[in-house]
Amino acid sequence: MKQLSHLQAFRTIAAAALLSLAAVGAKAEDTIKVGILHSLSGTMAISETTLKDTMLMLIDAQNNKGGLLGKKLEAVVVDPASNWPLFAEKARQLLTKDKVAAIFGCWTSVSRKSVLPVVEELNGLLFYPVQYEGEESSKNVFYTGAAPNQQAIPAVDYLMNDFGAERWVLAGTDYVYPRTTNKILEAYLKSKGVAEKDILINYTPFGHSDWQSIVAEIKKFGSAGKKTAVVSTVNGDANIPFYKELGNQGISAEAIPVVAFSVGEEELSGIDTKPLVGHLAAWNYFMSIDTTKNAEFIKQWHTFIKDTKRVTNDPMEAHYIGFNMWVKAVEKAGTTEPDAVQRAIIGVEYPNLTGGVAKMLPNHHITKPVFIGEIQDDGQFLTVWQTDKLIEGDAWSDYLPESKPIIADWTPPILCGNFNTKTKKCSGQNY
Amino acid sequence: MNGHSFTNHKAGSVVIALVAAVTVLVPLCNAVFPDGSALHFSAYTVSLLGKYMTFALLGLTLDLVWGYCGILALGHGAFFALGGYAIGMYLMRQIGNRGVYGDPVLPDFMVFLNWKELPWYWLGFDQFWFASLMVLIVPGSLAFVFGWLAFRSRVTGVYLSIITQALTYALMLAFFRNEMGFGGNNGLTDFKSILGFTIQSEAVRLALLMISGLSLIGAFLLSRWIIKTKLGRVVTAVRDQESRVRFLGYRVEMFKLWLFVFAAMLAGLAGALYVPQVGIINPSEFSPLNSLEIVVWVALGGRGTLYGAIVGAVLVNYGKTVLTGLLPEIWLFTLGAAFVLVTMFLPRGLVGLLVRDGKES
Amino acid sequence: MKANSMVCSYLWLSVLLLVLSVPCMAQGNAVEAAVSELASERTESRVDPLPASFAEALTRLLRGNIKEREQIVEHLSTTGHPRAQVVLEALLNGELFELKADGRPVIGAENQGGYAISDALTGDALGYVGRGDIAKINLTNSLRVTLRKAIGRLQLRSGDAASRLAAVNAMITSADDKTLELLRTFEATERDERVLAAMRLIFALHDLRSDHKSVRLNALDTLKEYNSLEVYNRLSVLVDRDDDGHFVEPDADVRKKAKSVLVKIDARRQFYSAVETVFFGLSLGAVLVLAAIGLAITFGVMGVINMAHGELMMLGAYTTYVMQQIMPEYLGLSVLLAIPAAFVISAAVGIAIERGIICFLYGRPLETLLATFGVSLFLQQTVRSIFSPLNRSVTTPEWMSGSWQINDFLSLTWNRFYILLFCLLVFTVLLQILKRTRLGLEVRAVAQNRNMAKAMGIPTARVDALTFGLGSGIAGVAGVALSQITNVGPNLGQSYIVDSFMVVVFGGVGNLWGTLVAGFSLGIVNKMLEPHAGAVLAKILVLVFIILFIQKRPRGLFPQKGRATEA
């Protein structure tokens, strides 16, 4: 008898679980939902949690301004837990269950690649705020972070012209962003007459912590009498041991400067900056840039997060621009319907925090200024160089032979993210 | 040998009946009721259910080696991932010239790495039958080689657990390398079609769910049969008293080896069913943490019962789906606490609460 | 504190010098000086009116942009003003400020959240101001280069031989005729052998460009004794052909001699490079041993598989962070105090885990694995909730940063060096505890035969708790060491747990010496493979090697003897 009741209970639980799973929340509400797809646990939580808070702040501010189209905005936060298949699952949940009007999210390339088929299938909108490797332009994705030509190439130009670097170490974590960036840079350097033997490429695994041998190699490479610079696409956690080892082995920023593309204010706030002082980073935004807009943004952030020690960084600005562009596009289109927004958003302009006006281009990338900053001991950057005009994000690098003929243009008549100008063919599209 | 005692047997049947109900009812409902109806399952729910099925299958295979053979494999995820990669390679070849760079043969990441031709180990994966065979053969042979070495030299217990962990860790590092030719950190993704059908169509989704359900049922019944045979009985005896079985003249390592290989092949199958449903396979599936999580499912559900693993896998993953949406901060606390409590107070897992069987342990 | 460690460093320096007993004379950072050359060329090319007085120069130093500042720095180094060097050094060290109240240049020393300032012009103390009252003068790399060069020129006049040596060394790569002239005047009065040797190196390098064959040959004779990268680079170029296919050095005799010198230097370079690899291996091994040794106790002696071991290390690392927060003025001391603190905290958590969970699971080793895995998730999330998921900043104390430059070919980083020492110290202490104390005796007795020990009246439950506490405490101490070389974040433990298990299993469970040998040999093998195979492949190869090794010797390098192992 007792066992039977257990079994019954078990069946009821199982049935209830299935039912609740199947239940689709289709309540008609007077809000516009915005999906936030950033990891709040796991390895990527370090970087992504801040972006979730940024989005909440932006949505909050927009609601205080009266919302959008007369409705309030409602944030739907999910946690893909740094698990790539889970990113796709959560994106699907946001689009089908929660019916969000747009998703703001992802950090790593692989998470974006995982979400991509889902947003294309369900015709959603994804705003991706992080600098990335390019070689992609989807109808449904808006890339508000830097493409390689908006970060890597200007940085190399700076080192070549202002510092006079002749030998190059391209050090990166072994994944697609560093691989692509280094490939582009290698081609670029060679086009500028740098010899093969003057380029050293090195890849390390994620979270690499023992840099002794590699730094020793860099030191030897850099002691051959020619000025040497390191271009680092080393990601996240591996950076601190890398810089510590550089400092300890006596490689100063004056001798062999390291320019990094993944080290920003947020990353610096968690570490002892002493060994990093003088090394460089290339970004499209620095917290230290002195403009009224930036000061307001920093103040808004401090008020929202209730901590005046928190820093702002480049991907936060990318979300700021992306979100406001989306708002403008929705207002322009008069609806949140994705197709209408996709059409409306191209050409939309919104001021950067650092001056100048960002514009959404037909290839779904935006125009950006580029800043090179030297790391100071307070974890901020001192701008030593900046582009005199905004640079247009290029989805397909001109320095790679296979992507040279390809362009992306989401306006008629081309309407394609992967259009070969030689064969006049559009390929690799999912819709 | 108590695994097939009446009560466990019956509970197992109930669980399998539930699995069968989902397998049949979900596609049926979707065929009968139109899209938008309350009884029409959304693509989200269908792929979620399909994913749970594959996890349940994976849990089941671990229960075979752990619950019945006493091998606490901390690298079981490796077989799952290898199966996933095998089918992923087929799916990559299916993309054909629809890739980003439009190369008819080479997957995008190879074009990108300037590879001129397909490496030899990618040959044949354009054929579905070949890939399907590899789904079983690759994990099976790895398990065979590894098990043959380990069991023959009588590596047991904790040592075995730790070197299985080393195995999956080494594989993870290897697959992270772009030079390996498996897409590095990004892995294999952006699949377009399977056997000519669009992979994102509802029919394919439902078919995958059905196949996953049927595989789970099949694997369950097959496993239940196996543990009743001589192989199963000897293996269970090995779990309880290895030396005594050896003294009786049995070649212990051979029995263990076959069960290990069988479980690895089924785990490969689970991986192969998982990948088309989630649309990506990447090296993080090899991470030691993932393999530990499989152990969690089985321990939580109740090991040595087969169906307990199914219950555990579904419950933990359902909990994960719900909690990572609602209270992300709570998830690890819940999982951690559940783990400690179950190990201490419910050595027979959750199903131990429901099924009366004093002799099972 | 600092003085103590300095003494300690010099002691070690001299010991190693004796051991190696090799010529280690001229040093210098070639590239750094090359940079300064470029910078000075750029600054010299501008023509701005120079400031009339030292005071005016200082004001312009504060107000000007980077380019102007470079120019002023150049100028200041030639004025001969007694305050010039002090001001320039303050600027380089980030200690030159503008007093916001009256725009006066001041030199500030950080002191308890504020600054003790003195007038830059006169050196008079001006009292104590808050952080917000002064504005720091920003520096860029190019300005730093200019500064170093300017200070170098001033330092040639310094009374301290070490700073004269540093100044001369900085000139090796950038020596032009003017510098040589300057050096020749100082050579006459120089009495310090090492400074003279460095000067002779510069002269010899210069002589290589001479038109006279005999001068060049003589220069080569001088150069062959130097372990200098600059010499190596210059000679490598010398024996090579240029872009047109002509030899850079026209004379065959000189080339032949240069080649033989190069071979000699290269042999020394290879030797030092081997020494360096071994050191890298040892230091990686030290980290592995530190991470694994606590595990060797809980796992080896007690048979408990503690998956939360990594998280106990993480607690130790966070303890270091908290200690630095408590006493921000004494960074070095806080790290030292963190060692006992981390031991106590991790040991307490360890004992709590043992008493609360593990003691119910003895005899079921695989279940302890599961339960402690649950604990590890719990601890991770706790830390994430308290300290946020962001990495925390742990400052490396002065005496642990930088490296010990033995010569141009070999330098050993201090933090790795201390960690290596620390690892050996922890190992020795642990060994002594197990060997000589009553607790150690009881631990060994329980490990060998639990029932017999119980029968002899040993309180096994208490011994278990203390053993587990000891192992956990060591993990905490390892965490303090790790906080000096890697990120302090919630994922810290995870990255080391697989490696530590490998070390323990490879060394042989229950054997501390095995753990030590295993850790160091895995570290060295890894580092020897790394230059050839790359970091990832090296690690994979080591893992595969361990897997295969365990098949051959299932109980590791040094199998434990005793009854417990048969169970």
Side-chain angles (χ1 to χ4, degrees):
Chain A
M1 244 356 260
K2 191 177 169 232
Q3 179 215 340
L4 199 67
S5 66
H6 270 319
L7 274 179
Q8 270 173 344
F10 183 74
R11 262 178 239 171
T12 324
I13 293 167
L18 271 176
L19 274 178
S20 66
L21 197 69
V24 177
K27 290 171 279 176
E29 283 169 21
D30 269 356
T31 58
I32 294 174
K33 287 185 175 175
V34 178
I36 303 175
L37 184 64
H38 284 300
S39 299
L40 310 177
S41 57
T43 46
M44 290 313 296
I46 290 177
S47 308
E48 293 193 65
T49 314
T50 309
L51 291 187
K52 177 212 61 172
D53 291 330
T54 310
M55 280 312 297
L56 291 178
M57 175 182 84
L58 292 170
I59 290 170
D60 204 37
Q62 187 65 30
N63 281 336
N64 288 342
K65 277 192 260 170
L68 183 58
L69 302 180
K71 295 179 184 175
K72 289 276 174 206
L73 292 174
E74 181 191 341
V76 183
V77 181
V78 289
D79 175 22
S82 313
N83 175 327
W84 319 134
L86 209 54
F87 265 92
E89 187 186 312
K90 293 291 173 193
R92 189 176 289 282
Q93 180 193 332
L94 286 173
L95 290 171
T96 57
K97 259 180 89 180
D98 299 312
K99 305 214 180 316
V100 298
I103 298 175
F104 291 80
C106 297
W107 182 289
T108 58
S109 288
V110 54
S111 66
R112 190 190 67 254
K113 288 275 185 207
S114 172
V115 166
L116 192 66
V118 177
V119 289
E120 287 186 341
E121 177 198 340
L122 302 170
N123 196 20
L125 297 176
L126 171 70
F127 286 83
Y128 176 67
V130 183
Q131 88 280 14
Y132 85 119
E133 65 278 5
E135 304 296 288
E136 183 183 303
S137 173
S138 163
K139 174 169 169 277
N140 301 86
V141 183
F142 297 93
Y143 308 83
T144 53
N149 71 318
Q150 291 172 307
Q151 197 184 18
I153 299 220
V156 166
D157 278 338
Y158 168 77
L159 287 172
M160 203 181 281
N161 302 330
D162 283 48
F163 172 70
E166 293 170 289
R167 298 199 100 191
W168 301 84
V169 180
L170 309 181
T173 304
D174 191 3
Y175 73 108
V176 65
Y177 168 67
R179 287 255 173 195
T180 318
T181 308
N182 287 348
K183 203 173 154 191
I184 292 171
L185 289 182
E186 195 185 355
Y188 181 71
L189 287 172
K190 282 182 180 160
S191 78
K192 296 273 173 182
V194 178
E196 179 97 44
K197 66 171 172 48
D198 285 333
I199 302 174
L200 173 74
I201 299 182
N202 187 295
Y203 291 107
T204 40
F206 279 95
H208 190 65
S209 61
D210 196 285
W211 286 90
Q212 301 179 86
S213 309
I214 292 161
V215 168
E217 198 185 346
I218 291 175
K219 199 172 165 186
K220 279 190 194 113
F221 187 79
S223 61
K226 284 182 180 173
K227 278 199 173 188
T228 305
V230 179
V231 178
S232 158
T233 38
V234 173
N235 185 279
D237 273 4
N239 272 308
I240 295 146
F242 175 51
Y243 282 105
K244 274 199 173 163
E245 193 65 40
L246 281 172
N248 286 336
Q249 292 200 20
I251 299 184
S252 68
E254 299 129 63
I256 304 182
V258 178
V259 60
F261 304 144
S262 311
V263 176
E265 290 87 348
E266 181 90 34
E267 287 76 17
L268 291 176
S269 73
I271 58 174
D272 172 18
T273 45
K274 230 183 308 147
L276 286 87
V277 170
H279 286 297
L280 305 156
W283 287 105
N284 311 105
Y285 167 87
F286 285 129
M287 186 182 180
S288 61
I289 291 172
D290 192 15
T291 63
T292 337
K293 272 204 160 11
N294 194 17
E296 276 167 20
F297 182 73
I298 295 167
K299 204 175 144 212
Q300 187 190 1
W301 172 240
H302 285 166
T303 321
F304 179 82
I305 206 81
K306 297 187 186 68
D307 180 357
T308 51
K309 281 188 186 147
R310 288 292 293 272
V311 293
T312 56
N313 65 4
D314 182 277
M316 285 172 71
E317 194 218 15
H319 257 341
Y320 165 84
I321 296 170
F323 176 77
N324 282 302
M325 280 183 165
W326 174 73
V327 167
K328 277 183 101 171
V330 168
E331 278 165 352
K332 190 167 142 196
T335 166
T336 59
E337 199 269 318
D339 284 321
V341 176
Q342 278 163 25
R343 275 192 301 274
I345 201 168
I346 291 172
V348 161
E349 296 188 337
Y350 198 81
N352 291 313
L353 290 174
T354 54
V357 178
K359 182 176 166 194
M360 180 60 74
L361 302 166
N363 63 5
H364 285 189
H365 291 62
I366 65 175
T367 57
K368 281 176 170 292
V370 186
F371 301 95
I372 313 272
E374 280 186 14
I375 298 171
Q376 304 292 299
D377 53 8
D378 57 356
Q380 291 291 331
F381 292 90
L382 177 70
T383 310
V384 290
W385 183 87
Q386 73 182 80
T387 45
D388 40 12
K389 58 181 191 325
L390 300 193
I391 292 185
E392 295 192 351
D394 185 12
W396 301 92
S397 175
D398 295 339
Y399 295 98
L400 298 181
E402 62 271 19
S403 68
K404 193 167 184 199
I406 301 177
I407 58 158
D409 188 343
W410 290 104
T411 52
I414 294 179
L415 271 179
C416 178
N418 184 354
F419 184 78
N420 194 316
T421 49
K422 276 193 195 136
T423 58
K424 306 280 175 213
K425 250 180 68 186
C426 177
S427 59
Q429 303 297 309
N430 279 333
Y431 61 98
Chain B
M1 176 60 239
N2 308 310
H4 60 290
S5 67
F6 176 73
T7 47
N8 262 332
H9 191 85
K10 191 167 172 190
S13 306
V14 170
V15 169
I16 273 309
L18 269 173
V19 171
V22 171
T23 312
V24 176
L25 282 181
V26 171
L28 200 66
C29 281
N30 276 20
V32 173
F33 299 101
D35 200 0
S37 148
L39 282 170
H40 185 98
F41 291 86
S42 68
Y44 169 69
T45 316
V46 171
S47 54
L48 212 56
L49 286 172
K51 195 176 90 171
Y52 293 168
M53 295 281 187
T54 61
F55 283 159
L57 178 54
L58 178 60
L60 180 82
T61 65
L62 181 71
D63 194 24
L64 267 183
V65 294
W66 184 27
Y68 289 92
C69 201
I71 306 167
L72 176 50
L74 294 184
H76 210 60
F79 305 122
F80 179 79
L82 284 175
Y85 264 100
I87 206 74
M89 286 159 82
Y90 163 73
L91 293 171
M92 287 309 273
R93 296 294 305 270
Q94 282 282 296
I95 297 173
N97 60 6
R98 287 170 290 176
V100 168
Y101 299 117
D103 192 297
V105 179
L106 294 184
D108 285 334
F109 68 87
M110 289 190 192
V111 179
F112 173 72
L113 289 173
N114 290 336
W115 291 21
K116 295 295 169 236
E117 57 185 47
L118 217 54
W120 60 268
Y121 45 83
W122 273 76
L123 297 176
F125 277 95
D126 49 337
Q127 302 296 321
F128 184 71
W129 64 268
F130 182 79
S132 314
L133 212 58
M134 286 301 140
V135 160
L136 301 175
I137 287 178
V138 172
S141 15
L142 177 70
F144 182 81
V145 173
F146 184 82
W148 188 70
L149 285 170
F151 300 149
R152 212 180 38 125
S153 46
R154 299 187 195 172
V155 181
T156 52
V158 177
Y159 291 88
L160 193 59
S161 300
I162 287 170
I163 58 169
T164 52
Q165 191 176 40
L167 175 76
T168 194
Y169 187 55
L171 279 169
M172 177 178 82
L173 292 176
F175 273 76
F176 263 128
R177 283 165 52 85
N178 273 291
E179 288 87 356
M180 279 283 285
F182 295 106
N185 176 55
N186 272 19
L188 310 176
T189 180
D190 205 17
F191 308 133
K192 312 276 184 198
S193 59
I194 181 164
L195 287 171
F197 301 102
T198 310
I199 203 157
Q200 284 166 341
S201 68
E202 193 184 347
V204 168
R205 248 181 245 293
L206 289 171
L208 282 169
L209 170 66
M210 279 179 78
I211 298 169
S212 307
L214 291 175
S215 308
L216 178 58
I217 296 168
F220 179 82
L221 295 175
L222 191 61
S223 306
R224 193 151 80 172
W225 175 74
I226 283 183
I227 55 179
K228 273 192 236 167
T229 61
K230 188 181 164 196
L231 172 73
R233 284 157 194 269
V234 173
V235 154
T236 317
V238 169
R239 175 191 70 186
D240 296 336
Q241 260 306 344
E242 179 162 344
S243 350
R244 204 170 293 174
V245 181
R246 189 175 283 124
F247 298 152
L248 286 172
Y250 287 101
R251 292 193 62 191
V252 168
E253 60 274 16
M254 282 304 150
F255 287 96
K256 280 162 91 170
L257 184 57
W258 286 121
L259 198 70
F260 191 56
V261 170
F262 174 69
M265 287 165 89
L266 279 185
L269 175 66
L273 291 168
Y274 169 79
V275 168
Q277 301 192 59
V278 299
I280 183 170
I281 173 81
N282 98 331
S284 60
E285 298 294 339
F286 283 107
S287 94
L289 218 60
N290 272 28
S291 292
L292 267 166
E293 229 184 279
I294 309 170
V295 177
V296 179
W297 308 338
V298 179
L300 216 70
R303 74 190 120 121
T305 60
L306 294 180
Y307 70 96
I310 301 178
V311 173
V314 173
L315 277 186
V316 173
N317 282 294
Y318 180 64
K320 196 174 187 172
T321 306
V322 172
L323 278 181
T324 49
L326 296 178
L327 296 161
E329 288 83 15
I330 303 296
W331 168 238
L332 282 184
F333 279 134
T334 321
L335 191 65
F339 222 43
V340 173
L341 295 177
V342 166
T343 326
M344 287 178 65
F345 302 113
L346 297 173
R348 288 166 53 220
L350 287 176
V351 302
L353 278 180
L354 301 166
V355 177
R356 177 196 54 188
D357 182 4
K359 287 174 286 182
E360 194 66 33
S361 64
Chain C
M1 185 56 252
K2 197 171 158 181
N4 255 344
S5 61
M6 288 294 281
V7 170
C8 175
S9 330
Y10 279 113
L11 200 74
W12 274 103
L13 185 95
S14 45
V15 168
L16 209 100
L17 278 179
L18 278 174
V19 172
L20 291 172
S21 66
V22 282
C24 79
M25 304 160 108
Q27 321 154 17
N29 201 325
V31 183
E32 192 173 298
V35 175
S36 71
E37 183 178 31
L38 198 93
S40 70
E41 271 164 22
R42 258 189 275 140
T43 43
E44 278 157 18
S45 63
R46 269 187 310 277
V47 275
D48 273 4
L50 287 170
S53 70
F54 190 71
E56 193 200 329
L58 276 187
T59 319
R60 275 175 55 180
L61 191 62
L62 293 194
R63 306 279 152 72
N65 62 26
I66 297 290
K67 302 272 177 213
E68 283 169 278
R69 282 184 193 163
E70 280 176 20
Q71 203 184 2
I72 301 294
V73 167
E74 287 286 323
H75 170 71
L76 282 180
S77 70
T78 56
T79 53
H81 193 278
R83 293 288 297 165
Q85 192 174 346
V86 180
V87 171
L88 292 181
E89 275 170 358
L91 181 58
L92 185 63
N93 297 331
E95 288 166 352
L96 190 66
F97 300 88
E98 178 179 1
L99 190 62
K100 281 182 185 167
D102 56 4
R104 187 161 23 162
V106 294
I107 294 171
E110 198 168 356
N111 189 359
Q112 290 166 9
Y115 290 87
I117 56 168
S118 58
D119 192 303
L121 197 59
T122 60
D124 300 336
L126 294 176
Y128 185 82
V129 294
R131 204 177 280 272
D133 298 328
I134 49 178
K136 200 180 135 184
I137 312 300
N138 280 326
L139 279 177
T140 61
N141 282 332
S142 58
L143 186 54
R144 279 189 203 99
V145 171
T146 318
L147 268 171
R148 275 192 216 287
K149 213 180 163 192
I151 292 172
R153 280 197 294 269
L154 292 169
Q155 271 177 341
L156 279 182
R157 298 185 179 85
S158 161
D160 174 28
S163 43
R164 287 202 305 278
L165 181 63
V168 175
N169 278 334
M171 294 172 180
I172 289 178
T173 45
S174 61
D176 48 18
D177 289 341
K178 246 197 291 178
T179 323
L180 281 168
E181 219 171 289
L182 187 71
L183 283 177
R184 287 225 160 85
T185 54
F186 279 102
E187 189 195 9
T189 54
E190 182 61 59
R191 288 288 164 268
D192 189 275
E193 249 330 292
R194 288 181 307 158
V195 181
L196 281 172
M199 286 176 168
R200 279 197 290 269
L201 171 64
I202 296 179
F203 300 144
L205 280 171
H206 181 75
D207 286 346
L208 281 180
R209 295 203 196 99
S210 158
D211 294 334
H212 304 284
K213 183 179 162 187
S214 60
V215 175
R216 295 206 297 273
L217 283 172
N218 274 337
L220 282 173
D221 265 334
T222 316
L223 290 176
K224 79 175 174 226
E225 297 306 326
Y226 286 86
N227 289 319
S228 156
L229 269 176
E230 180 64 15
V231 174
Y232 183 78
N233 292 332
R234 288 278 283 275
L235 292 187
S236 306
V237 174
L238 207 65
V239 299
D240 222 354
R241 288 165 198 267
D242 60 16
D243 294 339
D244 306 327
H246 302 297
F247 280 108
V248 175
E249 165 62 53
D251 189 281
D253 289 342
V254 179
R255 274 207 306 277
K256 200 174 149 216
K257 179 141 192 180
K259 264 185 195 151
S260 74
V261 171
L262 204 55
V263 168
K264 267 185 205 144
I265 296 180
D266 202 37
R268 290 204 294 268
R269 203 173 73 118
Q270 304 244 326
F271 167 75
Y272 287 119
S273 149
V275 173
E276 190 178 46
T277 307
V278 171
F279 175 73
F280 287 168
L282 284 177
S283 79
L284 174 64
V287 172
L288 290 175
V289 170
L290 272 174
I293 201 157
L295 203 64
I297 294 181
T298 50
F299 181 34
V301 179
M302 301 174 70
V304 169
I305 307 167
N306 184 11
M307 293 298 281
H309 185 77
E311 277 62 38
L312 292 168
M313 292 198 274
M314 172 192 75
L315 287 183
Y318 272 100
T319 310
T320 320
Y321 165 71
V322 172
M323 288 303 283
Q324 290 201 340
Q325 295 302 301
I326 295 174
M327 37 198 301
E329 282 90 50
Y330 307 99
L331 288 176
L333 185 63
S334 69
V335 171
L336 290 184
L337 285 180
I339 295 171
F343 183 87
V344 170
I345 287 174
S346 293
V349 173
I351 290 175
I353 295 174
E354 203 277 343
R355 286 288 90 191
I357 297 166
I358 293 172
C359 69
F360 298 106
L361 298 173
Y362 277 114
R364 295 190 283 166
L366 294 181
E367 324 243 309
T368 59
L369 187 153
L370 300 180
T372 48
F373 177 60
V375 173
S376 83
L377 295 181
F378 206 86
L379 286 176
Q380 259 179 50
Q381 192 58 41
T382 311
V383 164
R384 206 172 270 136
S385 302
I386 298 176
F387 294 100
S388 95
L390 301 177
N391 285 336
R392 296 288 104 181
S393 158
V394 172
T395 315
T396 308
E398 202 60 48
W399 47 273
M400 270 189 88
S401 30
S403 59
W404 165 20
Q405 184 89 26
I406 293 170
N407 56 37
D408 257 16
F409 301 143
L410 182 64
S411 63
L412 309 179
T413 53
W414 282 123
N415 66 344
R416 298 278 176 180
F417 194 78
Y418 282 118
I419 285 172
L420 183 56
L421 287 184
F422 183 61
C423 163
L424 294 174
L425 182 74
V426 168
F427 179 79
T428 318
V429 169
L430 201 57
L431 211 59
Q432 293 308 315
I433 290 179
L434 287 182
K435 238 182 189 165
R436 303 212 188 272
T437 66
R438 175 154 186 93
L439 175 69
L441 187 68
E442 289 176 347
V443 167
R444 282 180 293 142
V446 173
Q448 277 172 15
N449 193 325
R450 177 172 294 269
N451 291 331
M452 186 62 80
K454 213 171 190 169
M456 303 295 284
I458 293 174
T460 47
R462 201 178 64 99
V463 171
D464 282 338
L466 288 177
T467 316
F468 201 81
L470 181 65
S472 308
I474 301 283
V477 168
V480 178
L482 286 180
S483 76
Q484 294 303 315
I485 51 172
T486 188
N487 300 288
V488 179
N491 301 325
L492 180 137
Q494 276 175 9
S495 27
Y496 286 93
I497 190 78
V498 178
D499 288 336
S500 357
F501 272 120
M502 293 307 133
V503 171
V504 174
V505 168
F506 179 57
V509 172
N511 190 322
L512 287 186
W513 281 104
T515 307
L516 187 78
V517 173
F520 281 134
S521 42
L522 290 182
I524 292 177
V525 168
N526 204 328
K527 282 294 158 189
M528 285 186 8
L529 287 173
E530 207 177 298
H532 310 288
V536 194
L537 207 54
K539 191 148 189 197
I540 296 172
L541 289 174
V542 167
L543 284 172
V544 171
F545 165 72
I546 295 177
I547 294 175
L548 292 177
F549 183 85
I550 294 299
Q551 321 288 352
K552 198 80 199 141
R553 297 190 63 162
R555 302 241 170 253
L557 270 179
F558 302 101
Q560 193 184 28
K561 295 178 192 76
R563 286 167 195 229
T565 52
E566 307 302 325

